[in-house]
Amino acid sequence: MPETPQYDLVVIGAGPGGYVAAIRAGQLGLKTALVEKDDKFGGTCLHWGCIPTKALLFDADVYDYFKNAGEFGIICKEFSLDWDAIQARKNKIVAKLAKGVEFLLKKNKVETISGYGRLAGNGRVEVTTGNRSRELHARNIVLATGSEARMLPALKADGKTILTNKEALGLKQIPSSMVIIGGGAVGVEFASIYSRLGAAVTLIEMLPRIVPLEDEEVSAELEKAFRKEGITVHTGARVEKAEGGSKGVAVTFTAREGKQARIEAETMLVAVGRAPKTEDIGLEKTRIQVERGFIRVDSYMQTGEPGVYAVGDIVAGSPLLAHVGHAEGILAVSHAAAAAQPGASPTFEPIHYNQVPNCTYCEPEISSVGLTERQAREGGHKVKVGKFPFSANSKADILGVRSGFVKIVTDETYGEILGVHMIGPRVTEMIAEAVLAMRLEATAEDLAHAIHPHPTLTEAVMEAAHAAHDWAIHI
């Protein structure tokens, strides 16, 4: 009988949290195995989420510029969409990045094992491939099994009429109409994609506003932009049922006023959140505590089972964001390595979740970090807000953008930056400055005195910081 393989670390799941954890473990000299049930690495983010959606969003941006080319002095008499070419480009980007992940795993001497991984207790992982199974033994284990799209009761994605984000990325043609259930990040991003590519889009959100986790002024600005784009938005609305209709699907919902309404469309995208993949991974054999399917961890990503860590979308209370999974994977492995070889691991610290940036790549883009204005006031802060519109920013005018703003929420007493909220052009690239400022405990005055290059969109951050002290120059 073959000897049970011995590893310093076994990672289950090759999504953003898992493959980054495995790479860092390899860099730290740990003998590492990465178990993945699919035939490719990168998880939902790379194959059915972050990367392919942003590729389609960029294509929609380019198409928008063609539609409005006259504003920029460019005459485009004939142009059209080639959906097959758009899909091929998206798939090429994904394939290239997946190959890159595979290369990095090999470069860092990570052994990749194909199969379904489950905890078997006492540092063991059972890996099932087809009808065969094998057992791995490790000093430490990292669970990174990710999440999947939630579906409304009694519905099932069919890839044609009823869709999750996964099916919405692979449609054979642009639908003439689409109903989107859910106004969070996934819903508004797909609304931006398909509306700008020609579909009639209706967005239905149960809560009082779309992108409900964002600052209230940001939600209002996005809804205003969506209505201008021609997207129909229903907030405070509850879906009652969905069934086959003459166009494809018919959705019955109760509107904010309490009246029942019915809408038909060719397709329906269900974007009502994500559920952790923690069933059938052997948790019952451990002391791991679970909360609504999510795994509880301490500040170093350790579960209740000695030697077992959890990272990414399965972690209770953690934002379901790829960059959070990256950070959690690095933290978990750094902690495990420090325990195994004191002095050999780089310094590390718990993640400051109040400093995690959130980005939504709809049109206009949204980004934020820290407390909203409402949260800051409810937290007892004496709040001072600085706000600067992109309509007064020279670079935004050059780009043909006249909506959106940067908003800085500060504590009036010491000028502490409590939160930064942006909606407008390329703000997902701009939020990193705010994250760094908060990490270094900079004040709004520090941001105001930091000289920003002109003309740039980032000047709006400086101007908002000036506005927090009633010093705004260009408004």
Side-chain angles (χ1 to χ4, degrees), residues 403-460:
S403 63
F405 55 82
V406 173
K407 178 178 179 178
I408 299 179
V409 180
T410 70
D411 185 289
E412 187 174 0
T413 306
Y414 299 107
E416 177 189 1
I417 300 170
L418 303 173
V420 179
H421 309 274
M422 307 183 190
I423 179 168
R426 304 178 188 173
V427 297
T428 56
E429 302 291 340
M430 293 167 55
I431 196 64
E433 176 183 12
V435 175
L436 183 60
M438 290 181 65
R439 177 169 175 78
L440 298 179
E441 299 182 353
T443 64
E445 188 170 352
D446 290 323
L447 272 182
H449 288 313
I451 298 174
H452 288 59
H454 174 77
T456 62
L457 296 171
T458 59
E459 286 179 284

Side-chain angles (χ1 to χ4, degrees), residues 163-299:
L163 317 169
T164 67
N165 62 294
K166 189 172 182 179
E167 293 80 26
L169 287 166
L171 291 174
K172 299 300 181 184
Q173 60 186 23
I174 299 169
S176 60
S177 54
M178 177 180 284
V179 174
I180 299 176
I181 312 300
V186 174
V188 299
E189 287 186 0
F190 276 104
S192 284
I193 291 170
Y194 283 108
S195 174
R196 289 185 294 160
L197 295 181
V201 173
T202 299
L203 187 63
I204 300 175
E205 168 56 49
M206 181 177 68
L207 295 176
R209 55 193 177 91
I210 56 175
V211 286
L213 299 181
E214 300 293 344
D215 187 88
E216 290 179 22
E217 288 190 277
V218 169
S219 294
E221 186 77 0
L222 181 62
E223 184 170 338
K224 177 182 172 183
F226 270 16
R227 293 188 188 282
K228 186 177 179 181
E229 169 70 25
I231 297 170
T232 301
V233 178
H234 296 281
T235 54
R238 181 180 294 275
V239 173
E240 304 296 343
K241 65 178 178 179
E243 57 192 348
S246 59
K247 292 183 179 180
V249 63
V251 179
T252 302
F253 63 97
T254 301
R256 183 195 294 269
E257 304 80 15
K259 295 181 180 179
Q260 202 167 78
R262 187 175 187 269
I263 184 171
E264 292 197 17
E266 186 178 335
T267 57
M268 180 179 76
L269 168 63
V270 179
V272 293
R274 299 189 65 79
K277 293 182 182 177
T278 52
E279 290 188 7
D280 194 28
I281 60 170
L283 298 185
E284 68 282 357
K285 299 183 174 76
T286 71
R287 286 176 277 181
I288 292 173
Q289 293 181 309
V290 177
E291 179 182 320
R292 294 181 298 108
F294 293 93
I295 295 174
R296 292 183 181 176
V297 298
D298 67 9
S299 56

Side-chain angles (χ1 to χ4, degrees), residues 119 140-143 286 288 301-310:
L119 296 175
N140 292 286
I141 299 166
V142 174
L143 298 174
T286 71
I288 292 173
M301 315 314 300
Q302 295 179 109
T303 70
E305 179 75 7
V308 179
Y309 297 78

Side-chain angles (χ1 to χ4, degrees), residues 388-401 453-457 459-460 463 474:
F388 188 81
F390 279 111
S391 60
N393 176 271
S394 55
K395 185 60 178 289
D397 211 30
I398 291 167
L399 296 174
V401 178
H454 174 77
T456 62
L457 296 171
E459 286 179 284
E463 293 272 16
H474 290 99

Side-chain angles (χ1 to χ4, degrees), residues 39-72:
D39 59 356
K40 45 201 170 188
F41 305 113
T44 294
C45 175
L46 176 50
H47 297 280
W48 307 287
C50 317
I51 303 304
T53 54
K54 279 52 178 181
L56 293 183
L57 281 158
F58 180 75
D59 284 315
D61 285 344
V62 173
Y63 190 50
D64 253 2
Y65 271 108
F66 272 96
K67 287 189 289 185
N68 299 292
E71 178 184 343
F72 303 95

